[in-house]
Amino acid sequence: MDDMAWISSTMLHMTEATGDDTYFNMAKKIYDTHMVTQGKEDEKGWALPWKTTSPADKDTRYICTNAPACVVACKLYMKTKEPKYLEDAQKLYDFITANLMLPDGRVEEPPLTYTQGTFAEAARLLYHITEQRSYLKKAETAVVYTISSSRCVDKGLLRNEGSLDADDGLIFKAVFIPYAVNLVLDESTSYRTREEVRNFLLHNAKTLWFEHMNRDLWPEMYCGPYWGNTYSVKSDEKNGTAYMCAHASGASLLENVTRMLSTR
């Protein structure tokens, strides 16, 4: 189910980039037909499952599905103005904050950058739809936790979230970074948070680009899993190749920090 949320989100981004509603219509169809129909409501609230292969899977209502689904519901509402999408987004948000988010800003345990970021973006979008400041405060809390907690940060840089056995986690930072930049560029965000997040991201980008990446040399031309180390085949390779996921996260950092600096 989480993959359907990510696919729908990608389709929405493609419409935003191209103006072609073909992608939007597909995202809407996926959400209406295959996602929202799987929701479960009980005393904890209404949310979507992670898996749907068995009746018991209805209880797998994790952040990895519900945060990106909330983003999708927000964007569907913003384009269609159909109340049902806003209602879904608010119910998903309420479920997350009531059951998955801790007071310090952790969104589920363990805190992962991509889920922290998708929740923050969902809350930010809900603020702009409803003008309720509480949503934006939650977005700020989630992002500030991510850039300040030792659970997410290693020596001032976002930590390595992958391993040689399971490298999917290496792409998590690629998701967090653009949403964190959105918060920085949002003039509704408090000045203190904007500066704190901006300076943190800029430090990460400078460390990677100027100290641990060389576009003229192999293998130093690749981004490693941790931006405080130069990519090394000996320490970071898997079957003789660099991690595409790690490189995607590094590219996301550099591209989005450039966006952040060029639009301020």
Side-chain angles (χ1 to χ4, degrees):
M1 180 66 71
D2 60 321
D3 288 337
M4 284 191 278
W6 293 115
I7 292 168
S8 297
S9 183
T10 300
M11 294 291 105
L12 293 172
H13 279 303
M14 291 176 70
T15 288
E16 290 166 359
T18 66
D20 186 343
D21 278 343
T22 301
Y23 308 111
F24 173 85
N25 293 333
M26 178 57 69
K28 185 176 181 295
K29 181 178 180 179
I30 292 171
Y31 181 87
D32 290 342
T33 306
H34 302 290
M35 291 177 60
V36 72
T37 54
Q38 300 298 320
K40 173 185 176 179
E41 184 158 16
D42 57 19
E43 68 280 359
K44 293 183 178 179
W46 180 83
L48 303 177
W50 176 41
K51 296 181 179 181
T52 59
T53 51
S54 72
D57 288 333
K58 287 284 187 178
D59 289 324
T60 59
R61 294 180 294 176
Y62 303 143
I63 191 69
C64 62
T65 298
N66 288 290
C70 189
V71 171
V72 170
C74 284
K75 290 190 173 184
L76 291 176
Y77 172 77
M78 292 169 79
K79 189 170 178 67
T80 67
K81 301 303 181 185
E82 294 183 35
K84 65 179 181 179
Y85 296 118
L86 176 56
E87 292 170 6
D88 288 350
Q90 290 177 313
K91 287 191 292 185
L92 291 170
Y93 173 91
D94 289 343
F95 180 87
I96 292 168
T97 53
N99 301 285
L100 303 177
M101 188 174 190
L102 284 77
D104 62 3
R106 272 178 292 166
V107 185
E108 209 170 59
E109 179 63 32
L112 300 171
T113 54
Y114 85 119
T115 47
Q116 296 285 133
T118 48
F119 169 77
E121 180 69 358
R124 190 185 71 85
L125 292 175
L126 277 169
Y127 162 72
H128 284 287
I129 292 170
T130 66
E131 297 185 351
Q132 294 181 26
R133 192 77 188 177
S134 59
Y135 288 122
L136 191 58
K137 284 188 171 293
K138 285 290 189 182
E140 293 185 36
T141 299
V143 170
V144 169
Y145 176 88
T146 312
I147 68 167
S148 60
S149 170
S150 60
R151 303 291 303 285
C152 301
V153 175
D154 180 8
K155 299 176 183 176
L157 305 172
L158 290 174
R159 70 177 180 88
N160 175 1
E161 292 181 272
S163 71
L164 289 176
D165 297 322
D167 60 7
D168 285 354
L170 297 176
I171 205 168
F172 289 172
K173 295 192 288 285
V175 178
F176 171 77
I177 295 294
Y179 291 147
V181 168
N182 286 352
L183 195 68
V184 172
L185 296 178
D186 193 327
E187 294 185 358
S188 299
T189 304
S190 70
Y191 177 81
R192 179 177 179 178
T193 296
R194 293 177 71 188
E195 288 302 295
E196 185 176 359
V197 178
R198 177 186 183 278
N199 291 338
F200 175 83
L201 295 177
L202 188 57
H203 171 65
N204 277 251
K206 285 182 175 179
T207 300
L208 173 62
W209 182 253
F210 292 112
E211 300 179 26
H212 296 291
M213 192 177 182
N214 187 335
R215 298 295 292 161
D216 296 324
L217 294 176
W218 184 92
E220 292 86 347
M221 65 189 299
Y222 292 113
C223 304
Y226 174 64
W227 298 326
N229 295 330
T230 303
Y231 177 79
S232 165
V233 171
K234 182 178 179 180
S235 64
D236 296 330
E237 65 89 32
K238 183 178 183 181
N239 299 322
T241 59
Y243 290 107
M244 181 179 69
C245 292
H247 200 62
S249 285
S252 178
L253 173 70
L254 298 174
E255 291 170 1
N256 281 283
V257 166
T258 299
R259 174 169 69 95
M260 179 179 75
L261 296 177
S262 65
T263 52
R264 274 183 64 87

